[in-house]
């Protein structure tokens, strides 16, 4: 009889508030014997901390997956291959692995880099959707993102070359904009969009910052910052 391989789950934990984990996310975390979590170069494991406030993870095997902030394609590829190897070691033993990720698993998620490599090796994978940072931020601000025929554009502000998307009609979401904030503010000012932009950093976390007037900011406010730029009212 062929031995069963484990399944690799990507579990969305939302942007910060542990109450935003879905019932399904909690069920998968409870069922999986191995919990994998991204680990920053400083050792931070924010997604794991959020998940641990919603589900009792005692007795689980915890697998740290270090990731790099390098933008060198070769360095990134090597890092994701190494992380895939770490997960595969458990899957080969028949253990299901749940990787916790901030926000939604399909949106700029570290899980997907590992998932694609494991799928190519023949492993089964499952994605558990969740609350994106920009959905939580819109709720925090008490505003809709789009209405009627308005378009919604999600831009990675950590890559300033993508800010040309600000010229598109509709609402713009600038994700992971905190560390590039001075440059982002300069572009918003140049395009006359500063008075239509609002920012929330560390949404649902200790130290949450809500700023409805970006002219009050002049420096980086951390990696977990998202800006919403609304369409001008007709």
């Amino acid at each position: 009889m062929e031995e069963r391989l484990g399944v690799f789950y990507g579990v969305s934990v939302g942007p910060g508030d542990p109450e935003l984990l879905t019932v399904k996310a909690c069920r998968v975390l409870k069922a999986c014997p191995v919990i994998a979590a991204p680990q920053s170069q400083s050792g931070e494991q924010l997604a794991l901390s959020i998940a641990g406030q919603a589900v009792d993870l005692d007795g689980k095997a915890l697998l740290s997956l270090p990731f790099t902030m390098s933008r060198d394609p070769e360095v990134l590829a090597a890092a994701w291959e190494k992380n895939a190897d770490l997960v595969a070691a458990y899957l080969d033993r028949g253990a299901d692995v749940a990787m916790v990720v901030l926000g939604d698993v399909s949106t700029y998620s570290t899980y997907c880099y590992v998932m694609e490599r494991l799928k190519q090796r023949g492993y089964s994978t499952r994605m558990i959707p969740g609350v994106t940072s920009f959905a939580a931020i819109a709720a925090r601000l008490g505003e809709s993102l789009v209405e009627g025929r308005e378009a919604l554009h999600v831009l990675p502000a950590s890559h300033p070359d993508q800010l040309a998307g600000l010229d598109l009609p509709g609402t713009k979401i600038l994700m992971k904009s905190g560390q590039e904030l001075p440059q982002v503010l300069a572009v918003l000012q140049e395009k006359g969009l500063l008075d239509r932009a609002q920012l929330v950093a560390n949404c649902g976390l200790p130290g949450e910052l809500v700023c409805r007037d970006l002219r009050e900011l002049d420096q980086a406010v951390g990696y977990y910052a998202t800006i919403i730029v609304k369409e001008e009212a007709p």
Side-chain angles (χ1 to χ4, degrees), residues 145 150-151 153 168-172 193 196 229-234:
L145 285 175
E150 292 175 345
H153 308 282
L168 296 168
T171 299
K172 273 74 67 173
L193 298 173
R196 285 191 266 139
V229 183
K230 290 282 290 184
E231 183 74 273
E232 187 173 18

Side-chain angles (χ1 to χ4, degrees), residues 76-129:
L76 288 169
W80 296 125
E81 286 292 345
K82 181 177 180 181
N83 285 326
D85 290 340
L86 293 172
V87 174
Y90 283 95
L91 300 179
D92 288 340
R93 301 176 207 163
D96 292 337
V97 178
M99 179 176 174
V100 291
V101 294
L102 291 173
D104 175 71
V105 71
S106 69
T107 309
Y108 299 124
S109 164
T110 51
Y111 167 80
C112 290
Y113 298 110
V114 182
M115 176 191 74
E116 291 300 332
R117 285 160 174 79
L118 290 173
K119 285 171 67 175
Q120 290 171 6
R121 301 183 192 184
Y123 295 98
S124 296
T125 64
R126 303 284 189 277
M127 297 171 67
I128 311 301

Side-chain angles (χ1 to χ4, degrees), residues 22-226:
T22 66
V23 172
K24 187 170 186 177
C26 292
R27 179 180 62 77
V28 170
L29 290 174
K30 291 175 182 177
C32 288
V34 183
I35 307 298
Q39 183 176 49
S40 69
Q41 292 177 321
S42 66
E44 182 184 42
Q45 292 184 292
L46 182 56
L48 180 63
S49 174
I50 295 169
Q53 297 175 63
V55 176
D56 183 2
L57 301 179
D58 287 347
K60 307 281 188 182
L62 300 180
L63 174 61
S64 296
L65 301 179
F67 66 90
T68 174
M69 297 300 291
S70 172
R71 294 183 182 177
D72 183 320
E74 293 186 1
V75 173
L76 288 169
W80 296 125
E81 286 292 345
K82 181 177 180 181
N83 285 326
D85 290 340
L86 293 172
V87 174
Y90 283 95
L91 300 179
D92 288 340
R93 301 176 207 163
D96 292 337
V97 178
M99 179 176 174
V100 291
V101 294
L102 291 173
D104 175 71
V105 71
S106 69
T107 309
Y108 299 124
S109 164
T110 51
Y111 167 80
C112 290
Y113 298 110
V114 182
M115 176 191 74
E116 291 300 332
R117 285 160 174 79
L118 290 173
K119 285 171 67 175
Q120 290 171 6
R121 301 183 192 184
Y123 295 98
S124 296
T125 64
R126 303 284 189 277
M127 297 171 67
I128 311 301
V131 178
T132 64
S133 65
F134 53 85
I137 285 168
R140 178 66 178 84
L141 294 171
E143 296 187 6
S144 66
L145 285 175
V146 285
E147 298 175 2
R149 296 190 177 188
E150 292 175 345
L152 180 67
H153 308 282
V154 181
L155 309 176
S158 54
H159 296 269
D161 59 307
Q162 296 298 312
L163 293 180
L166 286 168
D167 294 328
L168 296 168
T171 299
K172 273 74 67 173
I173 305 296
L174 308 184
M175 292 190 66
K176 302 181 179 179
S177 56
Q179 293 181 326
E180 303 289 344
L181 187 61
Q183 185 170 348
V184 172
L185 293 178
V187 173
L188 290 172
Q189 178 68 45
E190 177 186 343
K191 293 181 178 294
L193 298 173
L194 203 57
D195 62 342
R196 285 191 266 139
Q198 300 180 77
L199 173 148
V200 179
N202 301 321
C203 186
L205 295 167
E208 177 185 84
L209 170 67
V210 177
C211 183
R212 297 178 183 271
D213 185 350
L214 268 61
R215 291 170 294 184
E216 299 175 357
L217 298 173
D218 60 2
Q219 60 184 358
V221 293
Y223 189 65
Y224 306 109
T226 298

